[in-house]
Amino acid sequence: MSEKQSLWKIFTAGIIRENPVLRLVLGCCSALAVTTTVSGALGMGLSMTFVLVCSNIVISALRKAIPDKVHLPCYIVIIATFVTVVQMVLEAYAQDLYDSLGVFLALIVVNCIILGRAEMFACKHTVVESAVDGVGMGLGYIITMLLMSSVREIIGNGSWMGITIIPESVDRMGIMNQAPGGFFVFGCLMALCVFIEKKTNHPIERKTCGEVMLDEIDAAKSEGGDQA
C-alpha cells in the first residue's frame, strides 16, 4: 500500500506541486513560443512527454552502468535519440505540425525539464518510479501548454483548435500572438498558482541555485561517509 501511495505522490508532483513550467519555471522558452495555437502546444506537449518518459526509463535502467564523469554527455545522447525518433515520425506523418514547431522540436534535446529530471530523479530511482515521474511531469507540462494556448488562441485569433469561437465582428487582440501576450498569460497562470497555494496552505519549498548545490554537496558527503 505504501508503494502505491509513493508512486501516486511521484505522479501528482509534476502535475500540481512541482509543475515544471508554473512552479519550477523550466522549459519556458518552448512554452512561450509555441502556445499561439492549441494544436501546436498539444503537439509539443506530447512530443516532450514521449521523450521525457523514454529517456527517464533508459537512464534509470543504465544508471549503474553510466560513469559519473561522463553522465551528462550520455544523457544528451539518449535524449537526442528519442528526439530524432519524434522528428522522423512527425516529418513523415504530421508535416504541418513538424513545420509549425520548427527549431523548438530539436531543442527538446537540451530542454531543462528533461535534463533536470534525468539528473535529479531518473539516475537515482528505479525504472518504474522514473517512468511514473516522466508521465506526471509530462502531463503537467501538457496541461500548462493547453491552458496557455487556449487563452492565447481564443483571445488572439477567436478560435480554438481552428474552430471559430468568437464571431468575426468582434475585434481580436493581436498582441496575444506576440511575445508580450505570451508573457502576460504566463504571469497570470503563475499568479493563479501562488493564489491557490496560499488558499490551500500548501506552500512549496523554494531554494536558490546555491542552496540546491549545497544540499547536493552535503548529500554526497553523507553518502561517502556511510560507504566509508
Side-chain angles (χ1 to χ4, degrees):
M1 187 69 179
S2 59
E3 182 181 357
K4 290 184 179 180
Q5 290 178 348
S6 178
L7 290 177
W8 176 252
K9 186 176 181 179
I10 293 172
F11 174 73
T12 56
I15 303 175
I16 305 171
R17 298 187 306 276
E18 299 177 17
N19 185 286
V21 180
L22 298 179
R23 308 300 289 275
L24 304 181
V25 198
L26 300 174
C28 299
C29 180
S30 59
L32 293 170
V34 302
T35 52
T36 53
T37 62
V38 175
S39 58
L42 183 60
M44 186 67 183
L46 292 175
S47 300
M48 176 79 75
T49 302
F50 172 79
V51 175
L52 179 57
V53 173
C54 293
S55 60
N56 266 16
I57 292 174
V58 173
I59 290 170
S60 177
L62 299 176
R63 66 186 185 279
K64 295 182 180 179
I66 297 177
D68 292 337
K69 294 182 179 180
V70 294
H71 67 281
L72 188 57
C74 291
Y75 295 166
I76 293 178
V77 170
I78 293 170
I79 295 169
T81 301
F82 292 112
V83 172
T84 302
V85 172
V86 171
Q87 286 181 302
M88 294 174 66
V89 171
L90 291 182
E91 189 174 12
Y93 299 103
Q95 185 66 47
D96 292 340
L97 179 60
Y98 176 80
D99 294 336
S100 66
L101 294 180
V103 68
F104 294 101
L105 191 60
L107 288 176
I108 293 177
V109 175
V110 290
N111 191 284
C112 296
I113 298 174
I114 299 179
L115 288 175
R117 299 322 293 173
E119 185 72 25
M120 299 300 297
F121 195 93
C123 67
K124 302 175 184 177
H125 294 79
T126 65
V127 173
V128 175
E129 291 173 339
S130 299
V132 172
D133 176 75
V135 174
M137 286 287 171
L139 187 57
Y141 182 79
I142 291 175
I143 292 173
T144 303
M145 297 287 280
L146 287 177
L147 288 174
M148 290 185 63
S149 61
S150 295
V151 174
R152 295 183 69 184
E153 184 176 355
I154 292 174
I155 299 178
N157 299 327
S159 61
W160 191 85
M161 287 288 287
I163 302 173
T164 301
I165 302 297
I166 301 177
E168 294 290 340
S169 57
V170 179
D171 292 336
R172 272 63 168 156
M173 293 182 62
I175 194 173
M176 284 296 173
N177 296 322
Q178 302 173 12
F183 278 105
F184 176 77
V185 176
F186 180 57
C188 289
L189 289 178
M190 289 188 70
L192 178 62
C193 284
V194 173
F195 175 78
I196 295 175
E197 176 183 317
K198 291 182 177 180
K199 286 294 183 180
T200 56
N201 197 25
H202 287 88
I204 62 172
E205 183 180 5
R206 293 181 172 86
K207 295 183 178 181
T208 64
C209 295
E211 291 173 333
V212 172
M213 291 179 66
L214 289 175
D215 289 345
E216 292 179 357
I217 293 172
D218 292 339
K221 287 181 179 179
S222 62
E223 290 179 1
D226 294 339
Q227 292 177 357

